Amino acid sequence: MTREELAALCRKARDVGSVKHEDFVDYFVVLESRRKVGDREAWQTSEHAYMAVDGKLAMANEDHRKQGKWLDFGEPKVLLDNPEQLTLQVTVTSEIYGARHGIATSRKKGGTPAEREFPWEVAETSATGRALAAMGYGLL
């Protein structure tokens, strides 16, 4: 998927407050997924545009700056912390959109290298991204 194809997808998405997804197109990455088709051994690959969390943060901060409103990122709440995993809840509160929360888990055992080495950062970042997506940032 080219940058222009990503921009075209962004133009179809709803604006969020005072910002347009197209203005943050460079924060989108293309993810590939594969799924089995029918009963045969055929696989189909498809591409999906995904806005990284730094893009959602940039969008949210710019939207609130333009509107002269505040945006607050609360302290993460630990829902589960054991040798296998860490689950955090992050609440983002907006003067415009109210409060939204996101929950994410890092697998300390069996997870990606980043999850195993930096479980707090991975869970906090993912949970923050989910809370911002609940406000509409980064959704195509």
Side-chain angles (χ1 to χ4, degrees):
M1 191 176 299
T2 67
R3 185 180 190 282
E4 185 49 45
E5 290 170 325
L6 285 171
L9 283 174
C10 289
R11 286 190 289 276
K12 292 179 184 179
R14 282 186 29 192
D15 297 342
V16 183
S18 64
V19 293
K20 299 177 184 310
H21 283 86
E22 185 177 11
D23 295 336
F24 298 87
V25 67
D26 292 324
Y27 289 100
F28 280 92
V29 295
V30 178
L31 303 177
E32 283 190 357
S33 63
R34 290 177 37 127
R35 67 181 183 105
K36 193 172 179 182
V37 180
D39 294 333
R40 299 172 294 168
E41 292 297 318
W43 289 85
Q44 180 180 20
T45 301
S46 60
E47 294 181 328
H48 307 278
Y50 171 77
M51 180 181 270
V53 176
D54 59 344
K56 294 173 188 176
L57 286 165
M59 258 187 107
N61 284 321
E62 181 67 6
D63 183 24
H64 285 75
R65 185 194 64 75
K66 283 183 172 181
Q67 296 191 55
K69 303 294 182 181
W70 55 263
L71 180 65
D72 180 66
F73 298 87
E75 288 294 317
K77 178 181 176 184
V78 177
L79 300 180
L80 179 65
D81 188 5
N82 62 38
E84 286 80 34
Q85 64 186 31
L86 169 68
T87 301
L88 299 177
Q89 176 180 316
V90 172
T91 300
V92 178
T93 306
S94 161
E95 188 175 0
I96 307 164
Y97 309 113
R100 301 289 186 274
H101 75 270
I103 297 172
T105 297
S106 283
R107 295 167 294 153
K108 296 177 184 178
K109 289 190 177 178
T112 66
E115 286 177 289
R116 293 190 309 267
E117 192 168 344
F118 307 104
W120 185 276
E121 291 84 350
V122 170
E124 183 179 17
T125 300
S126 296
T128 300
R130 289 179 179 151
L132 290 170
M135 290 182 182
Y137 298 109
L139 297 180
L140 298 184

